[in-house]
Amino acid sequence: MDLLESEMYSPDTIYAVSRGSGMAGIAVIRLSGSKVSRLVVDIARSLPRPRRASVRQLLEPVSKDILDEAIVLWMPGPNSATCDDVAEFPVHGSVSVIQALVAVFENYEGRRLAEAGGLLTGRCSNTRCVTAVAPG
C-alpha cells in the first residue's frame, strides 16, 4: 500500500497546516475525517452552515481561552473534496496561534497530522473526489 492508499483507508481524522514560507499573515488549518464535526463544535461552539464562511472565536475547549477569531468553513461529507467531513480554519498566521490550535487537535483521540498529499486523496470509492482536487 503506498502513501496515498494508506491515507485513503485510515479511519483517523487528519489535519494539516498550510502557510507561506517565512512570516505569513494567514495560515489555513484543514481537517478531514469522522471526528471533524466534534472538533469544530468544541473550539467554535457550533457548526456553521455548510459551505458558508462564518467568523467565530476559536476557544481552547477546557479553559475556554480565546485562541483566535477566525473564519470557519464546514463541508460535510460526502459532498466535500475528500468525501469525508472537512473543516477549514483560515487563522492568523502567527506561530503562537498555530501552535495553540495544533495543541488542541493533538488532544483528540484518533487524529493525526496528515502525511504529504493526505488531504488530497479522500476516502471514498468514487474517484471524482480524488481527481477533482489532485494537482496535475
Side-chain angles (χ1 to χ4, degrees):
M1 184 177 306
D2 67 18
L3 168 67
L4 295 181
E5 287 177 317
S6 69
E7 289 286 357
M8 286 176 69
Y9 300 111
S10 172
D12 293 341
T13 293
I14 58 175
Y15 66 92
V17 178
S18 174
R19 67 184 190 114
S21 61
M23 303 267 300
I26 296 176
V28 178
I29 301 176
R30 292 180 184 95
L31 298 103
S32 177
S34 62
K35 296 181 181 171
V36 171
S37 61
R38 179 183 166 153
L39 285 164
V40 172
V41 169
D42 284 353
I43 68 170
R45 295 191 209 148
S46 65
L47 289 174
R49 289 181 55 202
R51 292 164 196 79
R52 303 264 194 241
S54 179
V55 176
R56 302 286 173 93
Q57 287 183 336
L58 305 182
L59 307 177
E60 200 288 326
V62 176
S63 70
K64 304 298 183 202
D65 289 339
I66 297 171
L67 304 175
D68 197 9
E69 185 170 10
I71 295 170
V72 178
L73 297 160
W74 164 244
M75 291 142 303
N79 299 318
S80 70
T82 65
C83 294
D84 284 326
D85 292 344
V86 172
E88 289 189 2
F89 300 92
V91 299
H92 291 96
S94 75
V95 172
S96 61
V97 168
I98 295 167
Q99 286 177 342
L101 287 167
V102 166
V104 168
F105 302 144
E106 283 296 314
N107 285 325
Y108 285 84
E109 184 177 334
R111 65 45 229 128
R112 65 182 167 78
L113 188 61
E115 296 175 21
L119 286 172
L120 293 176
T121 59
R123 291 182 182 85
C124 62
S125 60
N126 182 349
T127 56
R128 73 164 174 84
C129 294
V130 176
T131 58
V133 296

